Amino acid sequence: MNRFQTTLALCAAFLCGCNSLTPEDQARLDSFKYNSKRFLEEGRFARAEDQCRKGLELDPEDTSLHQVLGFALLQQGQNKQIEESIRVFERSVDQEDEFDFRNHLGLGTARFQYGRVLEDAIRKTGSDEALSVEEKEQRVAAYTPARDEAYQGAETELRAVLANPRSKDDLTAQSTLSNLLAIQGRYEDSAAVLRALTASIAGSIRVRNESMSKDTLPPERRALYDREIEALKGQQLSALTLLATVAAKSKRWEEVVSVYAQVESAGAMTPADWSNRARAYDELGATQAAIADYERFLRAAAVATDFTRHGDAITAAMRRIDELKSGKGKKPAPSPTPSDAAKPTETP
């Protein structure tokens, strides 16, 4: 299941009650609308786009087709398609009679993706040896404000989605916003959104598990919930990994350890995760825990398919283990505060 599926499933067909279509054309329009949503949910985005465009030839004002077209373009991910999806969603927002979080979610996500395109253009410009220093400066000067405007517009729309009672726990909005804030170096803000996201995902998993426990649940629905739970668990791991990263950026080492405990309980620790948690323990002065995780990192890296990318980290971990075991460079364990006095504290 792609990450838009839950939101897109809410895109119920809007039948145009006031138009001059013949019964035959109305039937064709309804077919295009039904197929566009089906293809979108199946991940057949080009087919969904095609059905939308054919439907819009019959009724250029159909709000449902514009909405699905925006998501279909966005999911295909090419630069021109992202730009067109922004225009489609802007039109949908402008023509709203009342707030429709799906339009704002699409617009916020599209603007975020466009900002990423400009971010990549800035990076490539800086490394383009065919350009003079002046040319690089001119291009970066043009790209940067456009990127910042795209990011600001994305944040505005995503926060509007999360401020709406109907969509306050939308997983796509929370995930996209947390990534946007992390990219901008706003780690505390990103962490706050990620904590809400992990809680939302946990709630979604719990609801499906409760439904799965019912004997009357049809087999096809049970299979659907199984797939959705697996997809949600994948989202949960991604969110936890990012939360550990932004917590480390803010030097909240206790939270880093706590987050990785959840990743470990899911059996999903990677070599980088062991290394990152080892550093957190090291910063906290929990020497034995740090040594144990550095050693787990070395074992995991030794069997990793991308072993070579861990070369420098392996050397650093081996050196740090020797230092800690010999008593060199140990950091004193922090004194317990009233808020963490009940937590076990390891001394060197």
Side-chain angles (χ1 to χ4, degrees):
M1 178 191 300
N2 68 75
R3 68 180 191 168
F4 287 109
Q5 188 168 353
T6 301
T7 298
L8 294 174
L10 298 173
C11 293
F14 294 101
L15 298 178
C16 298
C18 299
N19 58 46
S20 58
L21 295 178
T22 65
E24 292 78 10
D25 281 345
Q26 182 65 59
R28 291 175 60 214
L29 176 62
D30 292 344
S31 177
F32 289 138
K33 292 164 71 172
Y34 173 81
N35 287 332
S36 69
K37 292 176 176 66
R38 179 168 62 88
F39 288 139
L40 187 66
E41 292 177 2
E42 292 174 354
R44 301 160 71 181
F45 305 123
R47 294 290 303 276
E49 177 189 349
D50 175 69
Q51 292 294 293
C52 288
R53 294 195 189 282
K54 288 178 178 177
L56 289 170
E57 289 177 3
L58 293 171
D59 185 358
E61 301 303 315
D62 189 279
T63 56
S64 174
L65 286 171
H66 279 287
Q67 192 173 84
V68 176
L69 175 61
F71 281 113
L73 290 166
L74 179 58
Q75 286 287 70
Q76 291 178 72
Q78 299 299 313
N79 293 359
K80 290 184 178 179
Q81 292 165 320
I82 293 172
E83 291 178 35
E84 185 180 357
S85 73
I86 291 175
R87 295 192 295 272
V88 170
F89 283 122
E90 284 178 337
R91 176 190 182 281
S92 295
V93 167
D94 288 342
Q95 295 188 346
E96 284 180 349
D97 292 327
E98 59 182 24
F99 186 90
D100 186 335
F101 80 89
R102 294 163 294 191
N103 292 330
H104 295 267
L105 174 65
L107 181 55
T109 306
R111 285 176 171 169
F112 171 69
Q113 293 297 341
Y114 186 56
R116 298 298 291 147
V117 169
L118 294 170
E119 192 87 64
D120 188 53
I122 292 171
R123 180 185 58 78
K124 289 180 178 178
T125 297
S127 60
D128 190 343
E129 296 181 357
L131 298 176
S132 67
V133 173
E134 292 76 14
E135 288 173 323
K136 290 182 179 180
E137 290 176 348
Q138 289 174 356
R139 293 193 183 187
V140 170
Y143 290 141
T144 301
R147 177 205 61 191
D148 294 344
E149 182 180 358
Y151 282 162
Q152 180 57 55
E155 181 176 354
T156 297
E157 298 299 333
L158 295 169
R159 289 198 181 279
V161 171
L162 297 175
N164 183 268
R166 185 182 176 192
S167 53
K168 61 184 179 63
D169 296 320
D170 186 85
L171 303 185
T172 299
Q174 290 173 322
S175 176
T176 305
L177 180 59
S178 63
N179 276 279
L180 168 59
L181 296 170
I183 288 169
Q184 293 180 315
R186 296 162 61 186
Y187 301 123
E188 295 288 351
D189 292 340
S190 179
V193 178
L194 284 164
R195 294 184 197 109
L197 172 59
T198 56
S200 296
I201 294 174
S204 296
I205 293 174
R206 183 173 59 254
V207 167
R208 285 161 177 78
N209 279 326
E210 289 172 354
S211 297
M212 293 268 285
S213 66
K214 298 177 181 178
D215 296 334
T216 57
L217 190 70
E220 61 275 13
R221 179 62 62 177
R222 190 178 302 277
L224 173 62
Y225 284 161
D226 271 331
R227 293 193 298 272
E228 290 181 347
I229 288 172
E230 287 306 307
L232 287 166
K233 286 180 178 178
Q235 285 183 275
Q236 190 175 46
L237 284 174
S238 295
L240 288 171
T241 300
L242 181 56
L243 178 54
T245 299
V246 298
K249 293 286 187 181
S250 301
K251 301 186 184 304
R252 294 194 311 277
W253 304 115
E254 294 89 348
E255 184 170 22
V256 174
V257 170
S258 174
V259 170
Y260 277 129
Q262 298 177 66
V263 177
E264 184 180 11
S265 68
M269 293 286 278
T270 66
D273 294 335
W274 292 119
S275 178
N276 292 337
R277 193 172 72 174
R279 185 197 170 192
Y281 277 131
D282 204 346
E283 293 288 343
L284 290 168
T287 304
Q288 296 307 314
I291 291 173
D293 271 1
Y294 280 129
E295 290 176 340
R296 291 186 182 100
F297 161 66
L298 294 176
R299 291 194 295 272
V303 298
T305 55
D306 54 351
F307 172 80
T308 55
R309 72 184 290 265
H310 297 295
D312 291 342
I314 289 171
T315 301
M318 294 175 67
R319 182 173 60 249
R320 187 58 182 154
I321 289 171
D322 288 341
E323 290 174 348
L324 291 173
K325 287 184 175 180
S326 65
K328 297 178 181 178
K330 287 186 179 180
K331 298 186 178 183
S335 300
T337 62
S339 62
D340 63 12
K343 301 177 184 178
T345 303
E346 186 177 348
T347 56

